Amino acid sequence: MTSQVMPMMITPAGQRVHYRDHGGDGPPVVVLHSFLMDLSMWDRQVDAFRDGFRIIAVDERGHGETPADGPFGYWDVARDVLHLLDHLGVERAAVVGTSQGGFVALRMALLAPERVTALAVLGTSGEAEDPQVAEGYRQLAGIWAAQGPDSVIDAVAAICLGETDASAWTPKWRAVRGERFERIVGALVDRDGVLDRAGEITVPVLVLHGTADLAYPVARAEALVAALPKAEPLVTIDGGAHFLSVTNPDDVYPHLREFLDAHADGK
C-alpha cells in the first residue's frame, strides 16, 4: 500500500483540517492524537496496522498544520473529523484516540453514533477537568505565554510522556505560542463531562490506561468502562505514562490489534 497525502480539507464552516489518508482496502480507522501533539504521533501504529486497515490520521484543531482561528471545544473538533469522513466518502469508521483524542472520539460517537463502528481510547477520561487541575493548567499557560515554554516544558513532558525521551516533540511544543496555546489549553480545561451520557455509546469500546499516568488516575478509566454498555474489560499497562500510544507502543499494539480485527468493520 502506498501512503496518500492529502494535506487539507475545509469544513462547511470554513475550518481547515490537515490530515493524512494512508489508503488501503481494510476497514477505515481514524487515529486522533493527544494535547500538543500532531498526526505524526501515530506513525508507529500506522506502520503496524496498515496491512489490515485504512488509517486516517488527523491534525486536530489548533495542532499540527490545522489552525484554530478562534476559541473552540472538543465538540467542534469532533464535527471537524466527521466532516473529514464526509470529504473522504467514508460512511463509518473505527476511532482510536489517546488523551485529548479520546475526548474527541467519545464526542464523535455521541454526535453521530451511526458513523462510528468501534472506539479505542487510551489515557483518557469521560469527566470534566478537576477544577484544581484546571487552574494549574491555566497558571502553566500563563507562564508559557509570559516567559516562554522553556520554563515549564520539562514539567509538561513529565506529565505527558513520563520517562520517555521527549526530544522529538519539544521543538514542536516550543513553536506553539500566544493565542494558539491559550485556545488549545482552553479547550482542555473548559471541556464538559460526558460520563453521564456514556450509556448512549453502544458500540464496542476498548479502554487502555497506564498505571503511571500522571494526568488521570486509573479510576478515571474504571469509571468510563463502568459507564459504557459494550466496554471490553479495562486494559492497564504497568508503568505506562499518559500518552500511552507513544510511551508504550509495543504493550498497546496486541490489544489494539485484537480489538480492531474483531470490531473495526462494524460487523
Side-chain angles (χ1 to χ4, degrees):
M1 285 180 278
T2 58
S3 176
Q4 299 178 20
V5 178
M6 303 179 185
M8 198 75 67
M9 61 84 66
I10 302 176
T11 72
Q15 172 66 43
R16 289 174 290 156
V17 179
H18 178 254
Y19 68 96
R20 188 169 297 149
D21 181 358
H22 293 273
D25 298 324
V29 177
V30 176
V31 290
L32 299 172
H33 60 75
S34 311
F35 179 78
L36 273 180
M37 307 295 265
D38 60 34
L39 57 74
S40 68
M41 172 180 169
W42 293 100
D43 284 352
R44 282 194 64 174
Q45 283 77 17
V46 168
D47 290 340
F49 286 111
R50 63 191 304 166
D51 64 316
F53 305 97
R54 176 184 176 183
I55 305 295
I56 301 165
V58 185
D59 275 345
E60 297 153 41
R61 197 181 297 201
H63 293 76
E65 299 300 319
T66 296
D69 296 327
F72 68 93
Y74 293 133
W75 293 101
D76 299 311
V77 183
R79 292 184 182 95
D80 292 344
V81 182
L82 291 167
H83 286 308
L84 174 60
L85 294 182
D86 292 339
H87 175 76
L88 295 173
V90 174
E91 293 185 7
R92 305 176 74 215
V95 186
V96 180
T98 295
S99 187
Q100 171 181 287
F103 305 154
V104 177
L106 291 167
R107 286 158 177 78
M108 287 178 66
L110 290 168
L111 284 170
E114 74 285 358
R115 307 290 301 274
V116 176
T117 60
L119 293 177
V121 295
L122 304 87
T124 199
S125 169
E127 300 164 54
E129 199 65 75
D130 178 273
Q132 289 185 327
V133 174
E135 181 57 30
Y137 287 153
R138 290 190 183 95
Q139 291 176 7
L140 182 148
I143 296 171
W144 191 294
Q147 303 177 20
D150 282 338
S151 57
V152 292
I153 209 164
D154 288 343
V156 172
I159 293 170
C160 297
L161 297 170
E163 297 180 359
T164 299
D165 181 11
S167 60
W169 292 102
T170 49
K172 295 183 179 184
W173 296 352
R174 289 187 177 97
V176 181
R177 300 295 183 99
E179 286 187 340
R180 183 169 182 143
F181 190 73
E182 291 175 357
R183 285 169 181 165
I184 64 174
V185 171
L188 175 68
V189 301
D190 294 331
R191 73 181 189 277
D192 57 339
V194 297
L195 198 61
D196 61 341
R197 294 188 59 191
E200 300 173 36
I201 299 174
T202 57
V203 296
V205 184
L206 177 65
V207 179
L208 302 98
H209 212 88
T211 62
D213 190 318
L214 296 181
Y216 302 120
V218 174
R220 293 288 184 97
E222 292 171 341
L224 190 56
V225 168
L228 291 161
K230 291 189 178 179
E232 303 275 316
L234 173 64
V235 175
T236 55
I237 303 299
D238 187 40
H242 184 42
F243 289 179
L244 198 56
S245 49
V246 172
T247 63
N248 297 77
D250 295 335
D251 297 317
V252 162
Y253 172 78
H255 299 287
L256 280 179
R257 184 76 199 214
E258 182 180 8
F259 178 77
L260 292 172
D261 281 342
H263 300 295
D265 60 5
K267 295 179 181 177

